[in-house]
Amino acid sequence: MVTLILPRLIDVSAATRRSASVAERNVAALKSVYWLLLLSGFVEPLLYLLSIGVGVGALVGDLPLPDGRLVSYAEFVAPAMLASSAMTGALAETTFNFFGKMKYMKLYDGVIATPVRPFEIALGELGWAMLRGSAYSAAFLGVMVVLDLTSVTRALTALPAAVLVGFAFGALGMAVSTFMRSWQDFDLMGSAQFTLFLFSGTFVPAQAYPTLLHWLIEITPLYRSVHLIRGVALGGGGGVWLLDVLYLLAMVAVGLLVASRRMGRLLYQ
């Protein structure tokens, strides 16, 4: 029995090390200009928060949460900006950068000549995307605490939720990227991402939309992310958080499975 279990543990340990080496390669490849790109992913949602959440919020007033509580518009928008920031950071790394490495740089053609397998490449790239998204999330949560939009305790609880959002969208981004044929295909993805940004309960409660559109919004991944982080950051939500977490975990599993299988086909053909 021990002899059957031990090789599996060794395989898992080796796979983890190989995945970590893919993430380490991205860290080693950082350039000073690349840090500016990382910074832009944090600045954009911060500007949205200050201009719309704080500026326009003075005109909008308070908004109701699903449980009936009233919160300021800045408090309502801030968790949505956090979820959007986690999504943007993860997608930027696992779509454009991932596609460029695979399609044009042929980076992974050399990687698979080593013991690293496609699933481990996908897991390593996802780990790197998670690190990038986590940096955005931690910095943004710090701003929320300074602006008194959430408490320190709730911010610490919201950080793992934001990391999960980054994992989910990172896995989705890699899976989608394996179906891309050229850079022009990313225009469609950008349009879909912007649509999610606008219609995921980000700036307006989903309940304000017509019933059919409301239902469609509630099944989108960014809405589930916003709903989870807003519930954690502002309190309330209860057992509904479990649905959001399970939804995002399913995204991670399906995204990784599709991405690794598609990479295997593309790299070994």
Side-chain angles (χ1 to χ4, degrees):
M1 185 68 177
V2 174
T3 56
L4 291 176
I5 295 175
L6 187 58
R8 295 181 182 180
L9 294 177
I10 294 174
D11 288 343
V12 170
S13 176
T16 302
R17 289 197 304 271
R18 290 193 290 265
S19 297
S21 66
V22 175
E24 289 171 4
R25 179 264 166 202
N26 290 325
V27 174
L30 284 176
K31 304 289 185 181
S32 58
V33 176
Y34 192 74
W35 282 110
L36 294 177
L37 297 177
L38 292 179
L39 182 63
S40 68
F42 163 72
V43 171
E44 182 179 350
L46 178 60
L47 293 178
Y48 271 112
L49 173 62
L50 296 177
S51 62
I52 298 178
V54 178
V56 177
L59 304 174
V60 174
D62 295 339
L63 286 180
L65 295 177
D67 60 6
R69 288 183 299 125
L70 292 177
V71 296
S72 69
Y73 192 62
E75 288 179 288
F76 181 84
V77 169
M81 293 297 99
L82 174 57
S84 300
S85 177
M87 174 189 73
T88 301
L91 285 180
E93 192 62 46
T94 59
T95 54
F96 295 100
N97 294 344
F98 178 79
F99 180 77
K101 293 173 187 175
M102 182 173 63
K103 184 79 173 181
Y104 293 98
M105 294 172 61
K106 302 296 183 181
L107 176 66
Y108 303 133
D109 289 9
V111 172
I112 61 171
T114 71
V116 181
R117 294 169 293 183
F119 177 78
E120 293 160 353
I121 295 174
L123 195 59
E125 290 291 353
L126 183 57
W128 165 241
M130 181 271 295
L131 290 175
R132 178 174 176 175
S134 298
Y136 293 161
S137 301
F140 195 85
L141 280 167
V143 173
M144 288 177 62
V145 172
V146 170
L147 295 178
D148 198 26
L149 300 177
T150 189
S151 66
V152 175
T153 302
R154 288 176 176 172
L156 292 174
T157 308
L159 182 58
V163 172
L164 175 59
V165 172
F167 262 120
F169 278 99
L172 176 65
M174 275 194 298
V176 171
S177 296
T178 59
F179 291 95
M180 297 295 184
R181 297 161 298 178
S182 66
W183 294 113
Q184 285 71 29
D185 291 338
F186 283 95
D187 292 338
L188 297 175
M189 194 203 73
S191 299
Q193 183 178 342
F194 189 64
T195 301
L196 285 177
F197 178 65
L198 292 178
F199 297 99
S200 294
T202 315
F203 302 106
V204 179
Q207 294 79 5
Y209 295 104
T211 303
L212 180 58
L213 183 56
H214 176 198
W215 290 344
L216 290 175
I217 288 173
E218 287 198 349
I219 63 174
T220 60
L222 184 56
Y223 176 82
R224 301 314 326 172
S225 304
V226 170
H227 186 269
L228 173 62
I229 295 179
R230 184 174 284 149
V232 174
L234 301 181
V240 182
W241 295 353
L242 179 60
L243 175 62
D244 299 329
V245 171
L246 292 175
Y247 183 106
L248 295 173
L249 287 175
M251 279 182 62
V252 174
V254 173
L256 274 176
L257 179 63
V258 173
S260 59
R261 289 189 174 182
R262 286 283 303 165
M263 286 181 66
R265 291 182 183 179
L266 294 173
L267 295 175
Y268 290 121
Q269 65 181 4

